[in-house]
């Protein structure tokens, strides 16, 4: 499993923005209630939790003083969570970007009253993408300093200690 590609996130976000713009402008906004704040709070909460997990996991992987070693299975689960959250955050970012763009073009009172929730949703989804990518990066194994002392096929013993 490789790192999350930024291009994948950009494509997902652009597709979600296009779908949001088409749905909102074409048929949905006339019948929609006010934009809810619960998704914004949920996205922001997930971003905070993943940022905390990133800081905690990095310090445990680096075995900083006062920190217990991390369980490798937990790190694998964090990587899966980070990859899924990055993609979901990119989709929400695109959706909120399309919605926000349309709300700033529209001049009705309902559109003006929905702008704060849309902008907050955009910021919270961007925070989730950032925190997810940070968590994924924090789960990487640190580089070994003595790699240049080893032969290409020898993984366990340094050169000269056979």
């Amino acid at each position: 499993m490789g790192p999350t590609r930024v291009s994948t996130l950009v494509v997902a976000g652009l597709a979600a923005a296009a779908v949001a713009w088409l749905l909102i402008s074409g048929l949905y906004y006339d019948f929609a209630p006010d934009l809810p704040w619960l998704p914004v709070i949920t996205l922001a909460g997930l971003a905070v939790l993943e940022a905390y997990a990133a800081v905690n996991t990095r310090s445990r992987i680096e075995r900083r003083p006062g920190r217990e070693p991390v369980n490798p299975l937990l790190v694998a689960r964090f990587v899966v969570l980070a990859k899924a959250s990055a993609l979901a955050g990119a989709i929400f970012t695109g959706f909120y970007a399309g919605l926000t763009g349309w709300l700033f073009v529209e001049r009705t009172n309902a559109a003006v009253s929905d702008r704060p929730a849309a902008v907050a949703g955009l910021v919270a989804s961007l925070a989730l993408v950032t925190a997810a990518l940070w968590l994924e990066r924090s789960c990487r194994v640190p580089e070994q300093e003595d790699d240049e002392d080893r032969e290409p096929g020898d993984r366990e013993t340094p050169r000269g200690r056979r």
Side-chain angles (χ1 to χ4, degrees):
M1 178 174 7
T4 302
R5 294 183 184 150
V6 175
S7 60
T8 303
L9 301 178
V10 169
V11 168
L14 289 174
V19 168
W21 185 284
L22 290 174
L23 284 176
I24 295 300
S25 65
L27 48 110
Y28 181 69
Y29 198 71
D30 295 335
F31 308 107
D34 290 341
L35 206 57
W37 282 90
L38 185 60
V40 176
I41 295 167
T42 304
L43 291 169
L46 284 172
V48 168
L49 289 174
E50 289 192 27
Y52 174 75
V55 170
N56 189 27
T57 303
R58 175 60 23 198
S59 65
R60 291 175 69 187
I61 286 176
E62 292 175 349
R63 296 188 180 192
R64 292 186 184 154
R67 299 288 182 151
E68 294 179 12
V70 67
N71 181 353
L73 188 57
L74 179 66
V75 174
R77 289 177 180 160
F78 277 158
V79 170
V80 171
L81 172 69
K83 289 181 82 61
S85 295
L87 185 58
I91 291 169
F92 274 105
T93 299
F95 179 80
Y96 275 114
L99 179 63
T100 302
W102 189 84
L103 289 175
F104 276 98
V105 170
E106 188 68 23
R107 299 288 180 205
T108 63
N109 288 336
V112 171
S113 68
D114 281 343
R115 287 178 189 166
V119 170
L122 179 62
V123 170
S125 355
L126 282 172
L128 179 60
V129 171
T130 304
L133 292 175
W134 185 18
L135 177 59
E136 183 180 334
R137 176 101 177 147
S138 295
C139 291
R140 291 185 181 173
V141 176
E143 297 281 330
Q144 300 284 337
E145 288 99 25
D146 58 349
D147 280 344
E148 62 269 357
D149 294 338
R150 295 184 182 179
E151 294 178 8
D154 190 11
R155 297 260 187 231
E156 297 298 319
T157 55
R159 183 181 285 172
R161 291 176 69 196
R162 292 188 177 200

